[in-house]
Amino acid sequence: MYCFNSRCPKPQNPEKSRFCQSCGARLLLGDRYRGFSALGGGNSSRTFLALDTKQLLDPRRIVKAFTQADDEVAAEKLRREVAQLAVISEHPQLPDLLAYFERDRQQFVVQEFVEGRHLLHQLAEEGCWDEAQILQLLREVLPVLQFLHDHQIIHRDVKPANLIRRGNGKLVLVDYGAAKVTSQSTLGKTGTVMGSAEYAAPEQLIGKAVFASDLYGLGVTCIHLLTGLNPFDLYNSAVGAWFWRSAAGEVSDRLTKVIDKLLQSSLSQRYGSAAQVLKDLDMVSALVSPSVSPAEAMAQFQSAPNQQWDAYTFTPPIAPPQAGMNALVFDPIHQVLISGDNKGTVNLWNITNQEHLQTLIENQQALQSHSSPGAIATLALSPDGEVVAAGGWDDAVRVWNRQTGQLLHTLSGHRADVTCIVMHPNGQHVISGSRDKTIQLWDWQTGESLLCFKGHKAAVEAIALSVNGQRLASGDAQGAVKIWHLGTQELLRTLPSHAAAIGAIALHPDNETVISSGWDMAVQVRNLRTGGVKHLLKGHLLPVTSLSISPDGKTLATGSHDSTIKLWDLSQGKLISTLTGHTAAVEAIAFLSDEVIASGSQDGTIRVWRKVEVWSAVNGQ
């Protein structure tokens, strides 16, 4: 639990505490709101993520704590503002105001938690906006600002991070932390300087915010989204002017004039109301089609066709029951499927007749006693199918001869679990990622570590190598995805992070696309060079921890802890089919051909899936 007292030196407390162990403050606010974490704040207020203990479905709430000390005038002013905010909070594009409390010389406002993605996050994921997107933004936000201004409220912090797109497509203006209730008698008078400096109008920076100050912040938001550059980098303080057009894409002259008027330093030259801006927007060319809304995209996603697949299931005959499957790799030359499980065994299968061929383990005694160095977390195979590499929970990578079962080498050097390995196209080198935050390149014949990549700030959970062996993609437990040049060890770029740990990474055979999945349940398909999002695939209900691309590069298979496998059309980013049958997390997927897939699960089984028409043809049906 997190203490709401803004002066508390150690606000984190054990789960069932009633009073803060550091400052003694009562931890529950209003006997129902429990602090979860601090989200930010300044000298006069702080923002917390809180949980409503009396709400079952979605208990998340936003709590803003204002410290007024003994200033009763300021406290009364805030009370009046909260009363006014309560009136306008029922607007569908503003968060609900749920409660207000006063305690220990602090005032607390409880607001709805708005689920969605803010525009700064969208910019990082998808790249700079075009004119159609800016027009749509202005038409969505300006009516909300006009509504606020009609109720004598100045938001004072209009910026991309405070504009959140809900799952239903509705854009919501959040964060009343800087909002000011005003009147004709107080407009233009000096008050507290609030808001974010890079978006704040000149008059706001000296404490004299007016309604047009919000329009200035909206203008700065537009050029930030159009250019992708921080507003500080677009403003020339020597001449007091914005220089943004050369850094933006193609923008019509009419829209340029609207944005430039929003950005005027002089109030006499800036728009005076949101209604005036909307009137001028009606004159802007509408020839450019607006972007597909999130609601329309979801409708397209839900109407995707569903291919029919069938499967047969088998379990390893040697490993104990429920030895969950963590890794699969397929040798197309010899038609051999290789699996790795929780008990530390590596099993080889003839995929044609499902015959178990052999088990690879460190020594025969370990095989007979079912003891091993640790679970097998990851597998890799040399291009000729002759060498198998496995890594797991004992910090080492083991390399076997596939045919003889001989252990060729144990690669030791990592200082924590080995979570992922790939084999270089030359067949001589193995690359491994570890929870020690490093990636190592090995010569498996000598056991020598040739290179060590350092740059991740958290455990490396997944790696992938391009088919030409030049680029390496890696993902970590904080959601970061990094692209490296293998030869120079240069970090080429870091992609925008997932919201949670990376589960799996794959590089497309076109050498232009990187695919990552994570514990945020999302799958991102990105341009490898620019980082721009091609597709954002959503549909799994739990973390997505396995990926595989079909040999022809057209289909992506994703496996999840929700026990399902989903197949996606990579060219269109659409769902093809959902395969069900496993009873636990799907941890491994491997395409055996464009129309045959193997999957391994924590239920201890391996399933081989074929399209119904292919399955029928094979069995003469």
Side-chain angles (χ1 to χ4, degrees):
M1 298 181 68
Y2 203 92
C3 181
F4 287 118
N5 181 5
S6 60
R7 307 179 191 87
C8 182
K10 296 181 180 179
Q12 199 71 47
N13 286 270
E15 180 65 25
K16 296 184 179 181
S17 301
R18 296 179 60 192
F19 297 91
C20 179
Q21 295 183 353
S22 178
C23 70
R26 187 176 179 83
L27 292 176
L28 277 183
L29 180 64
D31 288 328
R32 66 183 295 174
Y33 299 106
R34 181 179 68 185
F36 185 76
S37 64
L39 298 180
N43 294 327
S44 61
S45 69
R46 295 191 71 186
T47 303
F48 302 89
L49 175 62
L51 302 178
D52 185 346
T53 59
K54 297 185 180 181
Q55 178 61 251
L56 295 177
L57 294 180
D58 187 356
R60 293 172 295 179
R61 299 290 183 262
I62 295 296
V63 173
K64 288 190 169 293
F66 298 85
T67 303
Q68 305 293 359
D70 296 322
D71 189 344
E72 182 57 30
V73 174
E76 180 58 29
K77 180 174 178 290
L78 181 61
R79 294 183 194 111
R80 292 195 303 269
E81 292 178 354
V82 169
Q84 183 71 351
L85 291 176
V87 174
I88 59 94
S89 69
E90 294 184 4
H91 190 285
Q93 288 179 264
L94 296 169
D96 288 340
L97 184 64
L98 303 175
Y100 170 77
F101 301 96
E102 293 187 13
R103 190 179 77 183
D104 298 331
R105 294 185 299 173
Q106 291 188 97
Q107 295 166 285
F108 300 90
V109 176
V110 182
Q111 295 176 342
E112 170 194 10
F113 175 86
V114 178
E115 178 86 50
R117 181 175 62 157
H118 60 65
L119 299 190
L120 201 60
H121 192 184
Q122 181 181 342
L123 175 67
E125 287 187 338
E126 301 177 7
C128 298
W129 286 33
D130 58 24
E131 178 165 340
Q133 290 173 295
I134 295 297
L135 284 170
Q136 181 178 337
L137 171 70
L138 290 171
R139 294 189 183 281
E140 289 182 283
V141 177
L142 285 165
V144 183
L145 291 180
Q146 188 64 54
F147 177 81
L148 289 174
H149 298 166
D150 287 345
H151 286 79
Q152 304 301 305
I153 295 173
I154 308 170
H155 188 278
R156 296 199 296 181
D157 204 12
V158 179
K159 59 183 180 181
N162 282 340
L163 289 162
I164 297 178
R165 182 78 64 183
R166 289 187 192 268
N168 63 6
K170 188 74 70 176
L171 194 64
V172 181
L173 177 61
V174 302
D175 198 347
Y176 292 153
K180 174 185 179 183
V181 178
T182 187
S183 65
Q184 288 302 117
S185 62
T186 59
L187 268 175
K189 290 188 176 180
T190 302
T192 304
V193 178
M194 299 287 284
S196 304
E198 62 266 49
Y199 303 93
E203 69 277 1
Q204 185 174 331
L205 291 173
I206 59 173
K208 296 184 177 182
V210 294
F211 298 133
S213 304
D214 285 344
L215 302 179
Y216 186 95
L218 181 58
V220 180
T221 293
C222 288
I223 63 174
H224 187 171
L225 296 172
L226 281 166
T227 65
L229 299 175
N230 187 291
F232 284 138
D233 296 328
L234 298 171
Y235 188 75
N236 188 327
S237 58
V239 297
W242 292 94
F243 293 90
W244 63 272
R245 277 167 285 186
S246 61
E250 186 175 347
V251 182
S252 68
D253 289 342
R254 287 183 176 180
L255 180 58
T256 296
K257 290 179 181 178
V258 170
I259 294 175
D260 282 344
K261 192 169 181 179
L262 287 168
L263 295 171
Q264 289 297 316
S265 297
S266 170
L267 283 170
S268 63
Q269 297 179 38
R270 194 188 313 157
Y271 285 107
S273 71
Q276 292 177 6
V277 189
L278 285 167
K279 183 178 179 180
D280 279 2
L281 282 181
D282 290 337
M283 302 175 63
V284 177
S285 173
L287 295 178
V288 180
S289 299
S291 302
V292 176
S293 70
E296 292 170 328
M298 183 58 69
Q300 294 175 5
F301 166 79
Q302 291 174 341
S303 63
N306 193 51
Q307 289 181 354
Q308 297 300 310
W309 291 62
D310 207 341
Y312 63 83
T313 306
F314 57 94
T315 56
I318 297 177
Q322 299 302 313
M325 297 296 150
N326 298 318
L328 292 174
V329 67
F330 181 60
D331 173 10
I333 299 175
H334 304 97
Q335 292 294 293
V336 171
L337 181 67
I338 306 170
S339 64
D341 61 37
N342 284 339
K343 299 299 181 180
T345 59
V346 178
N347 288 291
L348 279 62
W349 309 84
N350 182 320
I351 203 61
T352 303
N353 57 19
Q354 298 92 60
E355 177 190 0
H356 178 260
L357 300 175
Q358 64 175 313
T359 297
L360 306 179
I361 201 164
E362 191 171 28
N363 55 61
Q364 189 63 28
Q365 290 75 23
L367 176 61
Q368 293 172 349
S369 64
H370 297 312
S371 64
S372 68
I376 301 297
T378 177
L379 292 169
L381 187 68
S382 62
D384 60 8
E386 297 299 326
V387 177
V388 179
W393 304 149
D394 69 337
D395 311 351
V397 176
R398 288 171 174 79
V399 181
W400 287 274
N401 180 291
R402 179 193 59 81
Q403 292 192 47
T404 65
Q406 177 187 2
L407 180 64
L408 301 175
H409 224 295
T410 298
L411 311 178
S412 300
H414 282 299
R415 294 177 295 173
D417 303 336
V418 175
T419 56
C420 43
I421 55 175
V422 292
M423 189 76 75
H424 194 278
N426 64 18
Q428 301 299 311
H429 297 147
V430 172
I431 305 170
S432 59
S434 168
R435 288 181 174 160
D436 65 8
K437 307 178 187 179
T438 69
I439 302 166
Q440 296 204 46
L441 173 70
W442 308 83
D443 182 326
W444 65 260
Q445 292 180 321
T446 66
E448 180 184 2
S449 176
L450 304 177
L451 297 173
C452 183
F453 295 83
K454 297 179 180 179
H456 281 284
K457 297 180 180 179
V460 178
E461 297 290 350
I463 57 175
L465 188 64
S466 60
V467 292
N468 59 15
Q470 294 181 1
R471 286 180 173 81
L472 178 73
S474 57
D476 66 29
Q478 291 183 351
V481 176
K482 297 181 181 292
I483 309 298
W484 310 80
H485 190 283
L486 192 61
T488 64
Q489 302 181 60
E490 178 186 6
L491 177 60
L492 300 177
R493 63 191 60 87
T494 298
L495 304 183
S497 296
H498 279 257
I502 297 298
I505 284 183
L507 288 175
H508 196 277
D510 64 6
N511 288 322
E512 295 292 334
T513 306
V514 57
I515 305 170
S516 57
S517 67
W519 286 68
D520 57 0
M521 296 167 282
V523 180
Q524 298 179 2
V525 183
R526 293 181 176 276
N527 184 296
L528 181 64
R529 299 180 185 277
T530 66
V533 173
K534 296 182 178 180
H535 305 295
L536 186 61
L537 310 179
K538 291 188 176 181
H540 282 295
L541 303 178
L542 289 173
V544 183
T545 51
S546 52
L547 300 173
S548 184
I549 302 172
S550 61
D552 63 8
K554 296 180 179 180
T555 305
L556 173 70
T558 59
S560 167
H561 284 199
D562 64 14
S563 77
T564 70
I565 299 160
K566 292 185 181 292
L567 305 181
W568 310 83
D569 181 328
L570 274 175
S571 64
Q572 301 182 56
K574 291 184 177 181
L575 180 66
I576 298 172
S577 187
T578 298
L579 311 183
T580 60
H582 284 297
T583 59
V586 178
E587 296 283 8
I589 302 178
F591 270 96
L592 311 188
S593 71
D594 292 331
E595 297 176 323
V596 182
I597 303 169
S599 59
S601 167
Q602 288 301 306
D603 62 13
T605 68
I606 298 170
R607 294 175 71 89
V608 177
W609 310 79
R610 292 186 175 94
K611 283 186 182 179
V612 169
E613 57 269 29
V614 177
W615 175 263
S616 300
V618 169
N619 289 275
Q621 300 176 359

